[in-house]
Amino acid sequence: MSAGNASVAEYRDSFGKAVAKNVLVVAIGLALNYVNVCLMYTFCKHQIFYLSPRYILFFHLVVNDMIHLSASVVLFVLSYAVYRIGVGLCSAFILTAIVTSENTPLNLACMAAECYVAVCLPLSHARLCTVRRTLLLVGAIWGASLVSTFPDLLFTLATEPARFFSGRIFCLRETAFPSPVLARKRDVTYATYLVLVWSVLFFLYFRILFTARTANKETKKAEKARRTIVLHGVQVLLCMTMYAAPVVRDALLRWFPENSSDLLFANYVVVQILPRAISPIIYGVRDKCFRKHLKNELICGRNP
């Protein structure tokens, strides 16, 4: 993921274009976070969601997306407003964005696994998918992302001179954690995530497909679970574009130097923002139970 959102500012836009880009990014960020707040409010208002691992994982995904989106948008605006910021502040934003971005595919894989258990192992669902195990799973997701990310900070503290941390930099992952060793470690981590998450999604999808066919019919539950896993796959695919972002960025700079700012801005929207817009669709709109409660909350909010 790095901080691709800020990279557009390396190529100076005209004042009007810079304002337009910042207004658009802030407007999209506020709109998505408003929707996410509505989803969180609906979850908190109804106890039925507290007892469902599916909705607990969804709630965690929404909170995680809000944190990532907020950090990304603030960093984008800062890159235009002040261009260079302190290394400490930059590192805090970068670490927040990296951890939350790595949480997303892991959370999606866990949600797909819950769908699989519900369809293929319905008699064991209540025993395997408990609230306690789900909360432990959320903790494990954060633990895995922190273990993957914080060595970058420790390695940088150990290898960079003291004057580096008192300086100001244009905020990218590559500038906050400049060691080539960390760049190679990032590539290995991203490749591992890509292989593991996609392997899990493909396995679960075909297991659900096989279960439906052996039952000699496409049950509504199995069909919905398959569609949900496909949507998870699309979202993971979009999230995984962040893993290719540094390569894409370098290629764009070589091939289209005259349009680099606009192309990098489009890259930021696709990599950082678009994946965060899918979560509300999957559960906030498609899920009948959640949609009903969300609609009631919105109607009541407009007509107190």
Side-chain angles (χ1 to χ4, degrees):
M1 165 250 144
S2 123
N5 54 303
S7 60
V8 295
E10 290 181 304
Y11 301 86
R12 311 309 288 174
D13 289 320
S14 65
F15 178 77
K17 183 180 287 188
V19 170
K21 288 180 178 179
N22 279 272
V23 169
L24 179 61
V25 167
V26 171
I28 294 174
L30 290 175
L32 289 177
N33 276 345
Y34 172 76
V35 172
N36 287 332
V37 167
C38 291
L39 296 174
M40 292 167 58
Y41 180 76
T42 301
F43 177 92
C44 295
K45 285 280 289 183
H46 300 280
Q47 192 173 4
I48 184 175
F49 299 130
Y50 299 175
L51 305 177
S52 171
R54 180 178 308 171
Y55 294 115
I56 293 173
L57 288 171
F58 171 60
F59 179 79
H60 173 249
L61 183 65
V62 170
V63 173
N64 184 79
D65 283 353
M66 281 191 65
I67 296 172
H68 179 89
L69 191 61
S70 299
S72 175
V73 170
V74 170
L75 192 54
F76 183 93
V77 174
L78 284 177
S79 70
Y80 275 90
V82 297
Y83 191 61
R84 296 180 184 273
I85 63 176
V87 172
L89 181 61
C90 173
S91 298
F93 275 116
I94 294 294
L95 287 173
T96 300
I98 294 173
V99 169
T100 50
S101 67
E102 292 188 3
N103 282 347
T104 299
L106 297 178
N107 199 100
L108 292 170
C110 293
M111 294 174 77
E114 189 278 333
C115 284
Y116 164 76
V117 174
V119 173
C120 300
L121 304 170
L123 298 180
S124 302
H125 184 268
R127 176 174 57 85
L128 296 175
C129 300
T130 64
V131 172
R132 181 176 179 275
R133 286 182 175 178
T134 304
L135 295 176
L136 290 174
L137 195 59
V138 169
I141 290 172
W142 279 91
S145 297
L146 290 172
V147 167
S148 166
T149 303
F150 266 82
D152 292 18
L153 176 61
L154 299 177
F155 186 88
T156 303
L157 288 172
T159 57
E160 293 297 323
R163 64 179 180 275
F164 171 77
F165 301 98
S166 60
R168 298 170 68 86
I169 58 175
F170 184 76
C171 195
L172 297 168
R173 182 172 184 174
E174 294 86 346
T175 55
F177 309 114
S179 172
V181 174
L182 296 179
R184 290 194 292 272
K185 174 247 181 191
R186 176 200 65 196
D187 294 340
V188 171
T189 301
Y190 286 174
T192 303
Y193 271 53
L194 181 64
V195 171
L196 288 178
V197 173
W198 273 105
S199 297
V200 169
L201 290 175
F202 274 116
F203 171 78
L204 297 177
Y205 177 82
F206 286 110
R207 285 295 298 169
I208 290 174
L209 177 63
F210 178 77
T211 299
R213 286 184 172 177
T214 54
N216 295 321
K217 61 178 180 179
E218 287 283 333
T219 65
K220 288 185 177 180
K221 191 173 184 180
E223 187 177 354
K224 182 179 179 181
R226 285 172 52 204
R227 288 199 300 265
T228 298
I229 290 180
V230 169
L231 287 173
H232 285 329
V234 172
Q235 189 173 10
V236 169
L237 180 62
L238 289 172
C239 291
M240 294 299 181
T241 58
M242 66 187 179
Y243 298 165
V247 176
V248 173
R249 185 177 67 238
D250 293 341
L252 290 173
L253 294 180
R254 288 196 304 269
W255 298 339
F256 308 102
E258 69 281 2
N259 298 318
S260 55
S261 178
D262 295 335
L263 291 171
L264 288 169
F265 174 72
N267 182 62
Y268 163 67
V269 172
V270 171
V271 172
Q272 301 295 340
I273 293 182
L274 189 57
R276 321 297 157 189
I278 296 181
S279 298
I281 296 174
I282 294 178
Y283 277 102
V285 177
R286 287 185 68 250
D287 187 87
K288 185 182 298 185
C289 178
F290 204 96
R291 183 173 67 244
K292 181 184 71 173
H293 289 292
L294 177 62
K295 186 184 298 184
N296 289 339
E297 293 298 334
L298 294 176
I299 293 174
C300 292
R302 292 175 181 173
N303 302 291

